[in-house]
Amino acid sequence: MTRTGPTSDIDESALAVTSPKNKAAGLTAVAVSMRRSLEQMGLLRTSRSLARLNHHDGFDCPGCAWPEPLGHRRPAEFCENGAKAVAEEATLRTVTPEFFAEHSVAELATKSGFWLGQQGRLTHPMVLTPNATHYQPISWRDAYRLIADGLRALSSPDEAIFYTSGRTSNETAFLYQLLVRSFGTNNLPDCSNMCHESSGTALTAAIGIGKGSVSIDDLTKADLILIAGQNPGTNHPRMLSTLETAKRNGAKIIAINPLPEAGLKGFKDPQRLSGLLRGGTEIADEFLQIRIGGDMALFQGLGRLLFEAEDRAPGTVVDRAFVDAHCAGFAEYEAHMRAVDLDAVLEATGLTRTQLDETAAALIASERTITCWAMGLTQQRHAVATIEEATNLLLLRGMMGKPGAGVCPVRGHSNVQGDRTMGIFERMPDSFLDALDAEFAMSSPREHGLDTVDSIRAMRDGTAKIFMAMGGNFVSATPDTDVTEAALRNCALTVQVSTKLNRSHVVPGEVALILPTLGRSDLDLQDGTKQHVSVEDSMSMVHLSTGRLAPVSSDLRSEVAIVCQLATELFGPDHQVRWSEFEKDYDLIRDAISRVIPGCSDYNTRVRERNGFQLPHPPRDSREFVTATGKANFAVNELAWVPTPPGRLVLQTMRSHDQYNTTIYGLDDRYRGVKNGRQVVFVNAADIAELGFSDGDLVNIVSEWPTEGRVEERRVDGFRIVAYSTPRGNAAAYYPETNPLIPLDHVADKSNTPVSKAITVRLERAD
Ligand code: SF4
């Protein structure tokens, strides 16, 4: 299987490489933010939008899920990538019916995701009919009728897939899952399946809730913060301000990552004169350059060292009071840790014994430890076990349910956590479904639905025939691009509710619809009344978001309106759910949410408070663990890691700095020193020499997968080698360009998350 990215519009020969940066942000970040904003939005819209971004009466950043501070907010309460996200959404460029008349789907399919995104906001509902070459305009009414007729024609509701992206608001997510369950299926995959599903799975088993247990305030009170498998400088930039405050308050920060990212090293706060003049703040006190996939070994090695330290000074390391009162499985965990092979740990991690000892000493010295992590942990084959081991260490030290301590999985998309709270999950618990049924006098389907990977399988195999996406870019977010594209093409109908053009629109089913929707920054008027939506951040704070910009087209509908109007078409005007009332007044949706979802009582009042409200988290609030044992559970896992076979490299996929999830803002990766291109593979200089290549060589990347007695090869062509500080035997390249290297079946144990962080590859010289 060979694939060369659709980069006809990107001249990769213009690619230039310079030295990576040692600090994130600074004045360059301000300059880039302003340039991109002015290019896309013009002066007026730039000042109107950025002034309200992440402010109490403004709109929530459509970028990541990092929380806003509870107290004072700065005039510019956003980062470079937040500004880029807004510029992309609030752009004045438009994709009109004339654009679609000019460009066939076949032509658009040759374009890169970057080019497609740069064309601007979608302005009209469009349809692609069977055998047509171009999308054509369609009325909203006809579009709803087409979907409703298609859904009604299925032989089972389970033949439809309803995907959700993390930008979707709480109100839309709640109504969307209500529509889907009223229709009769739990097929509700979401982008969380590709990111923090492993965190949710591990934390639910360990502490009874799949969410982080800390707040920004906790981070500033911690005396030790571990940041594992995370690149905050690009993916959660405002986290750097919090880390800077934590440092000022005396915290030690240990970064654990295969790549020495700029944001892990230092931060030049562009909003503080001292940050700019004095060269910024060093973020990480220690940097553990761990081998890809070595994290579980690290946490287990630390576990063993902690028990050895406890032996030397009994009663000083293990928090016996906490363990005895609140935990189960400690004896088994202790026995397992005492047998951990430290030589194997050193081999798996690539770290030195001194680094291990010093990290253990830091854990022992700490009274308030927080462990943060992101995709570097969650997208490993053993991701769930790895996160369980990270949690084990915190439980052992009693670091749960007290200020300045706990778990912090940092979510990557602005409302991915809220969507799950609202019921976007193929396996919602019966308690949720019972409450939904009681509120709406309905009978929710109880059979579990399909997650993302299983949805692709179902579409590929023809057992699912309709795919609807509430936002997102499914084709680029998912692995195994060829299989995913074939799966979508295999559908009778694909429906994309979108703000902008992306690769998923050029991979249509037999019939395809594009439904243009309002973005976060857009004014949402229903029946002449301004509406608000709400979101939940990475730390369980729920707050309002109110767009104010004039939409670029009068033919856009809000996501709430699209769900309500589709539901009315599908179920008829006499349905027991008051869809048309919900559409006119989002307060009514929030009232329903308050009756169905625990912790959301009095939603309309509390969400209007200055900082919104925080959802309950029993381990954080009262050291209560709602698990089968009624306690926090230590987990026991066999040690696993990812060795590098001879002549091969272990590759991780990652974003560039000019990218947010699947959205490509530009062709630079400033912090890593890459300009004007994306087809690069970062390799350690010693490995480049050992493999017989030179820095700058053009190669094809070939992944190898043992299957049914043979090795299946997948390749992406035309990547430039960049000598980089990766661990020996490890490499890195951008997604979605490298998604084709990952087979659909290469998923994490228990969470079914595609494994994008451990791909065994070889490099071949390109012709
Ligand atoms: S840190 Fe995240 S939420 Fe905040 S402005 Fe940046 S991208 Fe947006």
Side-chain angles (χ1 to χ4, degrees):
M1 195 177 288
T2 303
R3 171 177 277 265
T4 308
T7 54
S8 58
D9 47 88
I10 299 175
D11 177 11
E12 291 283 342
S13 68
L15 189 139
V17 179
T18 57
S19 304
K21 301 280 179 288
N22 281 322
K23 290 198 173 65
L27 275 178
T28 313
V30 179
V32 173
S33 306
M34 290 318 296
R35 179 163 52 81
R36 296 281 170 81
S37 299
L38 292 170
E39 273 169 13
Q40 297 270 359
M41 300 187 279
L43 187 58
L44 201 60
R45 257 168 114 81
T46 294
S47 55
R48 279 199 183 142
S49 56
L50 295 185
R52 297 202 180 269
L53 179 55
N54 289 332
H55 279 277
H56 296 292
D57 58 348
F59 64 98
D60 189 62
C61 174
C64 79
W66 190 252
E68 279 67 64
L70 296 186
H72 171 72
R73 293 191 187 174
R74 299 169 173 195
E77 193 56 65
F78 57 85
C79 69
E80 174 190 341
N81 279 351
K84 288 178 191 165
V86 171
E88 291 277 318
E89 178 184 291
T91 182
L92 287 165
R93 299 175 190 168
T94 51
V95 173
T96 60
E98 292 73 35
F99 171 93
F100 285 106
E102 214 174 294
H103 301 280
S104 70
V105 177
E107 183 204 338
L108 293 174
T110 67
K111 302 294 188 187
S112 69
F114 172 58
W115 187 92
L116 293 170
Q118 289 303 303
Q119 303 314 302
R121 286 287 295 272
L122 295 156
T123 60
H124 290 77
M126 304 296 295
V127 64
L128 187 73
T129 52
N131 303 318
T133 56
H134 292 67
Y135 276 100
Q136 293 171 332
I138 183 173
S139 71
W140 280 100
R141 189 71 208 273
D142 286 348
Y144 296 136
R145 209 171 280 152
L146 196 58
I147 303 169
D149 288 348
L151 290 172
R152 280 192 289 260
L154 295 173
S155 45
S156 156
D158 290 332
E159 290 181 350
I161 307 286
F162 298 89
Y163 177 76
T164 308
S165 113
R167 186 182 52 83
T168 301
S169 68
N170 281 353
E171 288 74 10
T172 304
F174 184 74
L175 290 188
Y176 188 51
Q177 62 82 32
L178 179 60
L179 178 152
V180 172
R181 294 193 163 103
S182 298
F183 177 60
T185 182
N186 279 310
N187 286 347
L188 282 157
D190 70 341
C191 62
S192 185
N193 298 150
M194 262 87 68
C195 60
H196 272 290
E197 202 63 61
S198 302
S199 305
T201 305
L203 291 177
T204 301
I207 61 171
I209 180 168
K211 299 181 181 183
S213 68
V214 301
S215 63
I216 288 198
D217 194 45
D218 287 316
L219 277 162
T220 61
K221 289 186 174 132
D223 61 23
L224 175 65
I225 301 172
L226 305 185
I227 304 173
Q230 194 197 345
N231 176 15
T234 289
N235 302 327
H236 316 96
R238 276 188 310 135
M239 182 180 180
L240 297 181
S241 309
T242 307
L243 294 176
E244 189 179 45
T245 307
K247 289 278 299 216
R248 233 181 290 130
N249 294 347
K252 180 184 179 78
I253 296 179
I254 300 179
I256 304 161
N257 202 54
L259 267 58
E261 307 287 13
L264 295 173
K265 291 187 190 165
F267 173 48
K268 286 191 197 171
D269 187 342
Q271 300 195 52
R272 294 163 64 96
L273 207 56
S274 59
L276 297 174
L277 297 182
R278 291 198 206 121
T281 305
E282 304 289 331
I283 293 292
D285 297 276
E286 305 290 340
F287 172 56
L288 306 185
Q289 187 165 26
I290 195 162
R291 296 189 70 251
I292 294 171
D295 305 86
M296 193 215 293
L298 171 65
F299 296 131
Q300 288 204 349
L302 292 172
R304 170 163 169 175
L305 294 180
L306 292 191
F307 280 109
E308 288 179 357
E310 173 75 8
D311 292 344
R312 288 194 296 276
T316 61
V317 177
V318 177
D319 185 337
R320 281 280 166 199
F322 176 80
V323 169
D324 291 347
H326 299 291
C327 299
F330 179 74
E332 295 83 352
Y333 173 66
E334 178 176 5
H336 195 62
M337 284 305 99
R338 288 185 181 281
V340 167
D341 177 353
L342 286 179
D343 289 334
V345 169
L346 297 181
E347 185 188 338
T349 58
L351 302 175
T352 64
R353 177 63 197 252
T354 305
Q355 287 176 307
L356 226 55
D357 286 337
E358 287 177 355
T359 308
L363 283 167
I364 292 165
S366 167
E367 291 175 2
R368 299 173 304 281
T369 308
I370 290 175
T371 302
C372 307
W373 69 87
M375 306 302 92
L377 259 56
T378 65
Q379 293 181 335
Q380 298 182 19
R381 180 69 185 252
H382 309 289
V384 174
T386 300
I387 295 160
E388 284 176 345
E389 294 294 352
T391 309
N392 283 340
L393 285 180
L394 294 172
L395 294 177
L396 165 72
R397 299 276 302 133
M399 299 293 173
M400 190 68 66
K402 68 177 190 179
V407 286
C408 182
V410 186
R411 309 275 169 173
H413 206 167
S414 56
N415 198 37
V416 64
Q417 189 162 310
D419 290 344
R420 184 61 60 90
T421 304
M422 293 297 124
I424 301 293
F425 189 33
E426 73 279 1
R427 289 175 281 130
M428 283 305 280
D430 280 345
S431 55
F432 174 91
L433 299 176
D434 290 344
L436 196 68
D437 289 356
E439 172 70 17
F440 295 105
M442 59 187 277
S443 296
S444 298
R446 299 293 162 137
E447 198 178 320
H448 289 170
L450 302 175
D451 66 5
T452 294
V453 165
D454 286 335
S455 293
I456 297 170
R457 290 182 179 130
M459 292 186 281
R460 174 196 65 190
D461 299 340
T463 53
K465 299 180 171 69
I466 292 182
F467 174 83
M468 177 165 178
M470 186 57 67
N473 178 359
F474 192 76
V475 160
S476 299
T478 47
D480 214 335
T481 311
D482 295 290
V483 171
T484 301
E485 288 188 0
L488 285 179
R489 289 186 198 285
N490 210 20
C491 287
L493 173 65
T494 51
V495 182
Q496 307 281 350
V497 179
S498 307
T499 54
K500 301 188 73 182
L501 200 57
N502 65 47
R503 293 280 311 158
S504 297
H505 303 119
V506 299
V507 184
E510 189 184 2
V511 175
L513 281 166
I514 300 175
L515 305 183
T517 190
L518 296 178
R520 285 267 174 82
S521 52
D522 291 324
L523 177 66
D524 183 355
L525 280 181
Q526 302 295 336
D527 231 15
T529 304
K530 183 172 69 186
Q531 303 295 326
H532 321 275
V533 293
S534 57
V535 294
E536 176 186 342
D537 66 31
S538 209
M539 295 176 180
S540 303
M541 290 297 300
V542 180
H543 60 89
L544 278 188
S545 173
T546 312
R548 289 170 199 269
L549 297 181
V552 291
S553 159
S554 58
D555 237 324
L556 306 187
R557 298 274 185 279
S558 74
E559 288 183 333
V560 165
I562 291 170
V563 173
C564 292
Q565 290 167 12
L566 172 60
T568 303
E569 183 66 40
L570 182 61
F571 304 125
D574 300 325
H575 195 245
Q576 74 267 26
V577 179
R578 301 165 297 159
W579 298 104
S580 57
E581 291 178 32
F582 283 147
E583 181 189 337
K584 285 186 208 137
D585 183 356
Y586 297 1
D587 275 357
L588 298 178
I589 310 170
R590 288 183 281 270
D591 283 342
I593 290 171
S594 72
R595 291 188 290 269
V596 171
I597 298 177
C600 289
S601 60
D602 209 8
Y603 197 109
N604 268 311
T605 306
R606 291 195 296 154
V607 82
R608 285 178 164 84
E609 287 168 9
R610 194 160 170 76
N611 292 306
F613 66 96
Q614 192 171 36
L615 287 167
H617 189 290
R620 177 198 66 207
D621 301 337
S622 54
R623 291 191 157 180
E624 205 185 316
F625 300 95
V626 190
T627 64
T629 60
K631 302 204 165 198
N633 293 312
F634 281 95
V636 171
N637 298 291
E638 284 312 310
L639 179 57
W641 74 94
V642 188
T644 308
R648 304 294 187 267
L649 296 167
V650 173
L651 178 97
Q652 68 163 65
T653 69
M654 61 185 188
R655 300 173 185 165
S656 83
H657 187 61
D658 257 356
Q659 171 175 4
Y660 203 80
N661 294 333
T662 57
T663 306
I664 315 294
Y665 301 138
L667 300 177
D668 298 344
D669 191 0
R670 192 170 79 245
Y671 294 159
R672 300 193 188 105
V674 172
K675 204 167 166 46
N676 290 331
R678 292 183 50 85
Q679 302 248 136
V680 292
V681 54
F682 299 92
V683 186
N684 186 291
D687 286 325
I688 296 174
E690 195 174 287
L691 294 170
F693 294 104
S694 300
D695 186 13
D697 278 356
L698 204 59
V699 294
N700 305 326
I701 309 175
V702 185
S703 67
E704 300 174 325
W705 304 97
T707 172
E708 294 167 2
R710 62 190 176 85
V711 175
E712 183 194 339
E713 292 190 345
R714 290 152 178 270
R715 55 184 73 219
V716 288
D717 291 350
F719 283 69
R720 195 161 298 280
I721 294 180
V722 174
Y724 205 80
S725 174
T726 66
R728 285 299 307 271
N730 287 176
Y734 305 131
Y735 79 86
E737 287 82 350
T738 47
N739 284 354
L741 296 172
I742 311 163
L744 191 61
D745 294 334
H746 186 49
V747 291
D749 299 336
K750 298 185 187 171
S751 66
N752 218 23
T753 294
V755 175
S756 305
K757 293 291 186 282
I759 312 163
T760 302
V761 300
R762 67 172 199 274
L763 304 182
E764 275 184 359
R765 204 169 290 283
D767 295 334

